[in-house]
């Protein structure tokens, strides 16, 4: 028996306790009085006084009417237990549906408010970077780390992230080493966040693949057998735990105006379905990757400044890794 059916039966029994006795009393009283009038009508008619026949007819038809009325009223008022259970289940289902719609609307409102807040705070960081003149990888890393911190603080409202292993990261292409280097990271576990990170060659893993193709890679479950040959890390970058830590992922190229990407913004979760592509979403899913695209565009502004400084200002090797595909 489902919880909904149990709740409906409990409600019905409660109604029976409150009103069942009244309905039964009215039924019995109406039937007894009606039958008594019908039974007594011949005796009254036999008394021989002037209006006896009229009273007899009145008692006969009045008693019949009262008895029939009691039976008819019972049909409409005294429902059986199955009828009441079915009725209450329908009411409870409708209440559950309305409650779910309200929760969905409230969650979506929180998502939109969080997205607006993130956009505003990220724009302020971009303005600060422009004002300071972001020209080195260290400076770019500082701003990228702050941006990911904004994401991490609002991960519940933005992406529905709860008690799970989550990860946000910014990778930039180092033109000297020919690899994508992590310059900023926020993770569920601080020790993982502060640990050394893998470096990705273009085309290797979902980070390298998004960079080399210059297109988004978003999957609700990246561990399905069909996707492993495409997204699986190869060589020294392969890790057995990738299948459990990074089930759902979104890799967004960091670029502006359709130019070659400067790097990749990633978001992952060990919960399948956290991020979904357009073809994977249903009517019950709202699009939650828009904020990733917006932030990737903001990061492109910061990294483009660094890249320009590297080209024209003769920056060091370490700085050069902040841009340039």
């Amino acid at each position: 028996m489902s919880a909904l059916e149990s709740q409906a039966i409990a409600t019905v029994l409660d109604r029976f306790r409150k009103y069942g006795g009244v309905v039964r009393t009215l039924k019995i009283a109406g039937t007894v009085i009606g039958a008594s009038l019908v039974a007594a009508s011949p005796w009254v008619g036999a008394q021989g006084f002037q209006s006896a026949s009229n009273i007899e007819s009145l008692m006969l038809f009045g008693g019949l009417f009262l008895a029939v009325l009691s039976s008819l009223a019972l049909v409409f008022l005294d429902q059986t237990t199955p009828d009441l259970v079915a009725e209450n289940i329908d009411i409870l289902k409708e209440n559950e549906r309305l409650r779910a719609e309200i929760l969905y609307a409230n969650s979506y409102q929180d998502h939109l408010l969080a997205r607006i807040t993130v956009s505003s705070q990220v724009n302020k960081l971009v303005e600060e970077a422009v004002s300071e003149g972001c020209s080195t990888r260290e400076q770019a890393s500082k701003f990228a780390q702050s941006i990911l911190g904004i994401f991490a603080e609002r991960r519940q409202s933005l992406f529905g992230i709860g008690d799970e292993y989550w990860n946000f990261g910014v990778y930039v292409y180092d033109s000297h080493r020919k690899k994508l280097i992590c310059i900023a990271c926020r993770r569920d576990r601080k020790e993982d966040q502060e640990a050394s990170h893998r470096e990705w060659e273009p085309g290797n893993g979902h980070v390298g693949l998004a960079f080399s193709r210059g297109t988004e890679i978003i999957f609700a479950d990246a561990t399905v057998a069909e996707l492993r040959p495409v997204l699986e890390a190869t060589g020294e970058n392969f890790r057995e735990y990738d299948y459990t830590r990074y089930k759902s992922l979104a890799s967004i190229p960091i670029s502006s105006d359709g130019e070659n990407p400067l790097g990749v913004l990633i978001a992952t979760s060990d919960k399948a379905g956290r991020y979904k592509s357009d073809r994977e979403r249903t009517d019950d899913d709202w699009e939650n990757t828009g904020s990733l695209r917006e932030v990737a565009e903001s990061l492109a502004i910061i990294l483009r400044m660094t890249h320009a400084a590297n080209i024209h200002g003769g920056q060091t090797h370490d700085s050069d890794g902040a841009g340039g595909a």
Side-chain angles (χ1 to χ4, degrees):
M1 181 182 297
S2 68
L4 196 64
E5 291 173 337
S6 299
Q7 186 179 353
I9 292 173
T11 302
V12 168
L13 292 175
D14 185 59
R15 286 179 61 183
F16 267 125
R17 283 192 293 268
K18 288 182 178 180
Y19 308 113
V22 176
V23 172
R24 286 191 295 271
T25 300
L26 291 175
K27 172 191 173 184
I28 294 171
T31 303
V32 169
I33 294 173
S36 299
L37 291 173
V38 172
S41 60
W43 178 83
V44 173
Q47 299 306 307
F49 53 86
Q50 184 176 359
S51 58
S53 60
N54 293 331
I55 295 176
E56 178 186 6
S57 299
L58 182 62
M59 292 177 63
L60 175 62
F61 291 107
L64 289 173
F65 176 77
L66 185 58
V68 172
L69 182 63
S70 298
S71 299
L72 289 176
L74 183 64
V75 172
F76 296 102
L77 297 177
D78 191 17
Q79 293 174 282
T80 62
T81 301
D83 291 336
L84 288 171
V85 169
E87 177 184 318
N88 278 272
I89 287 178
D90 290 339
I91 294 174
L92 290 171
K93 285 182 178 179
E94 180 64 13
N95 289 340
E96 289 295 324
R97 184 187 67 80
L98 293 175
R99 187 179 294 110
E101 288 184 358
I102 292 173
L103 290 174
Y104 180 89
N106 289 338
S107 296
Y108 189 52
Q109 182 183 44
D110 290 343
H111 169 78
L112 293 178
L113 290 175
R115 186 168 171 178
I116 292 171
T117 302
V118 166
S119 178
S120 175
Q121 293 182 350
V122 170
N123 286 339
K124 289 180 180 179
L125 286 172
V126 173
E127 291 174 2
E128 183 181 340
V130 172
S131 176
E132 291 183 4
C134 184
S135 59
T136 67
R137 178 189 292 179
E138 289 73 18
Q139 289 175 314
S141 175
K142 180 192 72 171
F143 286 109
Q145 191 73 3
S146 296
I147 289 173
L148 295 186
I150 295 172
F151 261 169
E153 290 176 2
R154 290 165 178 79
R155 61 187 180 275
Q156 174 66 50
S157 298
L158 284 173
F159 309 107
I161 293 175
D163 185 16
E164 60 200 78
Y165 189 90
W166 51 270
N167 168 45
F168 300 112
V170 175
Y171 286 80
V172 297
Y173 183 66
D174 188 314
S175 57
H176 293 281
R177 300 167 67 177
K178 308 295 183 184
K179 290 183 178 181
L180 289 149
I181 312 299
C182 180
I183 66 166
C185 178
R186 292 279 184 166
R187 290 184 174 179
D188 177 60
R189 302 172 186 170
K190 189 174 181 181
E191 60 270 23
D192 290 342
Q193 179 177 304
E194 297 174 347
S196 60
H197 303 286
R198 285 173 281 184
E199 300 177 356
W200 300 92
E201 294 180 354
N204 187 5
H206 62 91
V207 176
L209 196 61
F211 178 80
S212 62
R213 291 183 177 180
T215 57
E216 299 176 356
I217 294 180
I218 303 173
F219 288 107
D221 188 354
T223 66
V224 298
E226 293 80 1
L227 296 176
R228 284 192 178 185
V230 179
L231 300 178
E232 186 175 76
T234 58
E236 62 182 12
N237 275 355
F238 175 78
R239 303 286 189 276
E240 286 288 348
Y241 59 70
D242 285 348
Y243 297 131
T244 55
R245 282 190 181 182
Y246 310 119
K247 288 184 178 179
S248 185
L249 60 86
S251 296
I252 313 295
I254 300 173
S255 63
S256 57
D257 302 326
E259 298 176 345
N260 290 335
L262 301 169
V264 178
L265 169 65
I266 66 165
T268 68
S269 170
D270 67 352
K271 182 176 180 179
R274 181 60 68 209
Y275 304 101
K276 296 182 179 180
S277 62
D278 291 340
R279 60 182 176 78
E280 291 175 318
R281 282 196 300 273
T282 66
D283 293 339
D284 295 330
D285 300 316
W286 65 70
E287 199 274 335
N288 68 353
T289 53
S291 57
L292 293 171
R293 298 186 187 96
E294 293 170 359
V295 167
E297 292 176 0
S298 297
L299 287 167
I301 297 173
I302 295 174
L303 296 183
R304 183 61 63 190
M305 291 170 53
T306 308
H307 181 55
N310 294 333
I311 293 176
H312 302 295
Q315 297 296 319
T316 63
H317 172 82
D318 285 342
S319 305
D320 190 50

